[in-house]
Amino acid sequence: MTKNGVPPRGISRRNMLAATGSAAAGWMLLQDAVGAENPAIQVADRASSIRITAFKTYPVGNKTLLKIETNQKVSGWGEISQLPPTVVGPLMQSMYEMLDGENPTRIEHLWQKLYRAHRDFRGGAFMLHTIAGIDMALWDITGKLHGVPVYRLLGGPTREKIRVYPTPKAYKVPAGGPKPASASPRDIEGYIQNIKAARERVGKDGAVMFDAHCCLPPPFLIQLANAIESYDVLWIEEPAVPGNIEVFKRIKQAVKVPIATGERDRTIWDVIPYLQERCVDIIQHDCAHGGGITQMKKVAVLAETYFVPLAPHSVASFLGIAASFHVTASIPLFLIHEFYVNDCAGTLHKSWEVDKNGDSSLPQGPGLGVEVDEAALAKMPPSKFKWPGGKNPDGSVADY
Ligand SMILES: [Mg+2]
């Protein structure tokens, strides 16, 4: 009917009203209210003409930093976490075929395009870690384009600070390696002493967590969980390997300490069974493992419907942490965020600070709020990657 909401020349207001009835009459009244020459109607959306033109990857240790460039002097950064760098470069090169020339602000569309590109390897860790890095870079570009922190685009801040661990007031006791199927009294006693010492250190207002790391067999774990009840442990983490719902249900029925998991459950489809079966109390989604900001926000919404908070897992650099912080800043149900200082050998500069209480400020500035020293990144030595491989004392393969 009209171009940019302006009536075609030669059609009078009276004729148009007569021809098109009450809907058009409403439109006319609106035009009268805002002015027929409202410049806002004529302004092109700045985000509509931006296009992806190139990408670069920089391996640093077991991470690969990813830069996505555009035709508008705005670029974005993300992190592809944990994958062998020898794999990330060629995989990213191959997937770039689906990004070249695309509008980087169509983040949901591009997430779907990448995730559902090939029916035979939809999802999976290698694809999702790579999509996570791309997704972070797209949000970084979009935030910079609009001149706002990413959390503003996710609905705005729901909190002013983000509680993090480890700090002097929040400590997670580690599992310390694979354990045999039957625990000795000394094994159990060792964990109890570590948890007791952690509680004494953080005080009554602090938080103690225990990371089972999928390596304590269920009978061992149940025995231990019942023995540590009096130390008010905030959660037992990863009591079983991902997706093993029947084991989770068995542990949940036998243990009073809250159960947390999720660092290797990557999508809404992985997370929903835990929620439906009510066998976890806390979801530990990892933004860098699970498809980035786009998927993390959806996981948080899903968990919200069951009144389950997120305690995001992270072993990422400042880039991956920033991405996770932006989601955390925008969701309603949150407990505590894992945070280790990793500036990728001095190449990343963060925009937040952790105070003496263990609370982090929100990232500042447009996009993710991380400055990258690209010149220094380009001079980094070749990356080393080693497959970890868990082993039992008898040499057999163990989960860890
Ligand atoms: Mg863990």
Side-chain angles (χ1 to χ4, degrees), residues 172 211 213 237-238 263 284 313 338:
K172 189 159 78 182
D211 189 354
H213 222 269
E237 175 169 331
E238 282 203 312
E263 66 186 76
Q284 296 179 289
H313 173 270
E338 196 166 18

Side-chain angles (χ1 to χ4, degrees), residues 23-336:
W27 181 89
M28 289 292 188
L29 286 171
L30 181 65
Q31 288 302 295
D32 284 342
V34 299
E37 299 303 318
N38 179 3
I41 294 173
Q42 315 295 335
V43 174
D45 176 1
R46 189 177 169 220
S48 63
S49 59
I50 190 168
R51 293 291 181 271
I52 295 172
T53 54
F55 81 95
K56 287 177 186 158
T57 51
Y58 295 96
V60 189
N62 64 355
K63 306 178 191 316
T64 302
L65 304 190
L66 168 70
K67 182 186 189 189
I68 293 184
E69 296 175 344
T70 72
N71 62 349
Q72 289 194 18
K73 295 184 181 168
V74 179
S75 55
W77 287 87
E79 168 181 346
I80 300 170
S81 185
Q82 311 276 23
L83 301 186
T86 48
V87 174
V88 172
L91 180 56
M92 189 56 215
Q93 182 68 52
S94 175
M95 289 170 72
Y96 184 71
E97 177 189 317
M98 296 180 273
L99 295 169
D100 191 26
E102 286 279 7
N103 183 325
T105 68
R106 296 184 68 197
I107 302 171
E108 178 67 37
H109 169 69
L110 292 177
W111 199 98
Q112 299 286 334
K113 185 177 179 184
L114 297 169
Y115 183 80
R116 294 159 67 185
H118 195 303
R119 72 192 307 276
D120 291 333
F121 39 84
R122 171 183 165 125
F126 278 51
M127 282 291 278
L128 276 158
H129 283 224
T130 309
I131 291 172
I134 296 167
D135 182 87
M136 291 174 199
L138 299 182
W139 280 104
D140 193 27
I141 289 170
T142 305
K144 287 171 179 170
L145 192 69
H146 294 292
V148 293
V150 167
Y151 63 74
R152 291 273 170 212
L153 303 172
L154 297 172
T158 51
R159 55 182 45 79
E160 293 162 6
K161 51 195 179 182
I162 295 172
R163 188 184 182 199
V164 300
Y165 76 93
T167 68
K169 299 303 290 179
Y171 181 73
K172 189 159 78 182
V173 175
K179 292 286 171 278
S182 67
S184 71
R186 193 166 65 181
D187 286 329
I188 298 273
E189 190 53 34
Y191 283 128
I192 293 171
Q193 288 309 320
N194 289 345
I195 289 164
K196 181 174 177 233
R199 170 52 68 198
E200 283 166 3
R201 224 168 32 242
V202 302
K204 281 192 175 176
D205 57 343
V208 175
M209 295 77 85
F210 176 67
D211 189 354
H213 222 269
C214 301
C215 70
L216 270 57
F220 186 148
L221 185 77
I222 290 167
Q223 193 183 349
L224 174 63
N226 292 332
I228 59 174
E229 254 180 50
S230 61
Y231 301 111
D232 244 319
V233 172
L234 187 60
W235 71 63
I236 292 176
E237 175 169 331
E238 282 203 312
V241 291
N244 206 337
I245 294 295
E246 292 307 317
V247 178
F248 272 90
K249 283 161 65 177
R250 175 183 166 197
I251 290 168
K252 182 67 194 151
Q253 281 163 10
V255 169
K256 284 189 186 156
V257 178
I259 299 294
T261 203
E263 66 186 76
R264 295 184 281 165
D265 299 287
R266 301 174 201 288
T267 64
I268 46 176
W269 301 285
D270 297 332
V271 169
I272 190 89
Y274 297 117
L275 298 168
Q276 286 174 327
E277 297 293 341
R278 287 139 175 96
C279 57
V280 301
D281 302 281
I282 297 145
I283 294 287
Q284 296 179 289
H285 188 77
D286 188 311
C287 189
H289 295 180
I293 291 168
T294 302
Q295 193 64 194
M296 183 172 172
K297 180 84 178 182
K298 291 182 185 181
V299 165
V301 172
L302 204 58
E304 183 190 345
T305 61
Y306 289 83
F307 211 75
V308 169
L310 254 57
H313 173 270
S314 188
V315 289
S317 75
F318 287 160
L319 274 170
I321 286 277
S324 189
F325 272 10
H326 281 281
V327 179
T328 302
S330 75
I331 62 174
L333 304 182
F334 161 71
L335 203 53
I336 192 167

